Amino acid sequence: MVNRLHRNLTADEIFATGMRNQWHAVCPSDFVERGSIRKLRRLGEDWVLYRGSDDTVRMLADRCPHRGAPLSQGVHLGDRIACKYHGVEVDGTGTVAKVPGMPGCNLEGKKLVTSLPVREVGGAILAWFGADPDVEPAPLDLPDPLVDEDVSAFLCYAEWEAPWRFALENLLDPMHGAFLHHESHSMFGGETSARFRIRETDRGFFFEKTDQRGVNFDWVEYCRTGVDWVDLEIPYPPTAGPGGPFGIVGMGTPIDAETTAVFFWRYRRVQGWERDVWRFLYRTVLEERHWEVLEQDRIMLEGMAPDADQAENLYQHDLGVMRLRRLYRSRADELAKEMAG
């Protein structure tokens, strides 16, 4: 029997540490080099990642099935990890491959460690966090800009000391661009007042301004396609080179209830020589400016009290935030009932 971590969670615990039974971005691919072992905390649980000799990434619960010692302190053996405490070897499926101290012991051949299905895309590792490790993962439809050959993207990764819901709600709040980022190189234009609407799609919804388009951070699309992500567009001046508007695909994964791993793929639609120009401009000029904007978000969110969302007075601009909260509250309730059953 596979060890299940926190198999029964309350709705409040799920809301605090992240939705189960879906895919989440875990870390950049280069965090896990061939031959290396990496310890990470995601969704309030400790995990160990390693890249096998075949270049495949494996993700296991960070606990040896023998005495619960951290596998992340173990030895990389190519296709498995040997626990440093007593040498027990666990492969990428979570199966005990060998017990050196007692060959033939009844632990051998048993799947005793939670192993998560993983995918690599766009320079990041995604994993399926299932409430039941014996159930196959749901299909994963990747964000369009990450699989479109005509799009060139750069992954930006950071860790913020703020709840994951704050990070996602920030993306569902286009109006903050006209205020918090008004001195940036790309969000200085447009009106500082607006009306918004929610427009449904077959994969989520748009939250968009009804009276301004193509000037500032004027819309965002929230999508649920096996993994939760947002897509948004920021107009660029001609001085920013070819490629038209600047797009961002964003994801936020809970590290724990107070900390979030944020992923931003910054992209433009460019081909041929224009792609080379865009990538050169990004690395030499635009990347630093983008980090400045991201820092403004980080400082603001980290400065908010953990219970800031419990004493608010919301208005029409917050329809996207309210919609997101209702969705996750409802989903957390459903998951808690499934786990209890």
Side-chain angles (χ1 to χ4, degrees):
M1 177 68 69
V2 175
N3 292 328
R4 289 171 171 79
L5 304 181
H6 306 295
R7 64 181 298 186
N8 294 326
L9 296 171
T10 67
D12 285 343
E13 289 171 329
I14 295 169
F15 191 71
T17 61
M19 302 298 112
R20 273 60 175 182
N21 288 350
Q22 69 176 61
W23 295 83
H24 289 277
V26 173
C27 65
S29 289
D30 59 14
F31 272 30
V32 188
E33 298 178 350
R34 185 175 296 184
S36 70
I37 295 174
R38 180 88 182 210
K39 177 173 183 169
L40 290 176
R41 188 166 180 79
R42 295 292 183 268
L43 276 65
E45 299 171 347
D46 291 327
W47 305 93
V48 58
L49 287 83
Y50 71 99
R51 190 178 295 275
S53 53
D54 62 354
D55 206 36
T56 300
V57 173
R58 304 291 189 180
M59 186 169 178
L60 303 170
D62 190 20
R63 55 179 67 186
C64 177
H66 171 219
R67 294 280 305 282
L71 290 171
S72 57
Q73 294 184 20
V75 179
H76 193 302
L77 297 180
D79 63 343
R80 65 188 71 175
I81 295 177
C83 179
K84 200 169 186 178
Y85 203 16
H86 297 95
V88 174
E89 299 177 14
V90 180
D91 69 18
T93 70
T95 300
V96 177
K98 187 176 182 181
V99 181
M102 190 177 180
C105 143
N106 65 359
L107 296 183
E108 294 182 347
K110 292 183 179 178
K111 186 175 181 179
L112 298 175
V113 180
T114 299
S115 172
L116 301 189
V118 298
R119 293 271 303 273
E120 289 193 77
V121 60
I125 297 168
L126 276 63
W128 168 261
F129 289 79
D132 185 343
D134 296 326
V135 174
E136 288 295 311
L140 172 61
D141 291 328
L142 295 167
D144 312 329
L146 302 190
V147 294
D148 189 335
E149 294 183 355
D150 291 336
V151 169
S152 178
F154 293 90
L155 171 60
C156 165
Y157 173 81
E159 296 181 6
W160 291 351
E161 294 181 6
W164 69 276
R165 63 187 187 276
F166 287 12
L168 282 185
E169 289 171 5
N170 184 65
L171 293 169
L172 266 292
D173 175 17
M175 203 64 209
H176 85 269
F179 292 90
L180 182 61
H181 305 313
H182 74 280
E183 294 181 353
S184 76
H185 68 290
S186 58
M187 283 182 275
F188 54 85
E191 299 295 328
T192 54
S193 63
R195 300 291 294 182
F196 283 85
R197 69 178 177 185
I198 289 176
R199 179 163 54 91
E200 305 291 341
T201 71
D202 59 0
R203 61 186 186 181
F205 63 89
F206 278 90
F207 186 55
E208 57 192 4
K209 295 176 183 176
T210 61
D211 44 9
Q212 178 175 292
R213 193 78 168 191
V215 180
N216 200 315
F217 176 10
D218 294 332
W219 61 268
V220 59
E221 183 186 9
Y222 169 77
C223 304
R224 301 202 79 205
T225 61
V227 62
D228 294 356
W229 53 283
V230 300
D231 188 21
L232 60 94
E233 182 180 284
I234 298 173
Y236 254 17
T239 54
F246 171 71
I248 298 176
V249 166
M251 300 181 189
T253 301
I255 295 174
D256 51 37
E258 294 83 31
T259 318
T260 306
V262 293
F263 300 76
F264 296 103
W265 284 268
R266 297 155 165 176
Y267 71 87
R268 295 180 86 179
R269 187 169 295 277
V270 281
Q271 303 86 35
W273 65 268
E274 291 187 338
R275 177 179 294 238
D276 295 332
V277 172
W278 143 245
R279 297 187 71 84
F280 175 78
L281 280 173
Y282 181 84
R283 287 303 191 195
T284 58
V285 178
L286 301 174
E287 184 174 20
E288 182 178 355
R289 296 177 182 177
H290 296 159
W291 273 108
E292 291 172 358
V293 172
L294 200 59
E295 273 294 282
Q296 292 172 341
D297 286 323
R298 182 191 66 80
I299 292 169
M300 180 61 66
L301 298 183
E302 289 187 352
M304 295 169 66
D307 62 349
D309 56 352
Q310 302 303 304
E312 299 171 316
N313 295 280
L314 305 179
Y315 53 93
Q316 202 263 353
H317 289 183
D318 305 307
L319 289 174
V321 169
M322 290 186 279
R323 171 68 175 274
L324 195 68
R325 289 179 186 172
R326 286 196 301 270
L327 187 156
Y328 282 128
R329 272 294 180 189
S330 175
R331 183 60 182 145
D333 289 340
E334 293 173 0
L335 286 167
K337 291 177 182 177
E338 290 177 16
M339 291 183 179

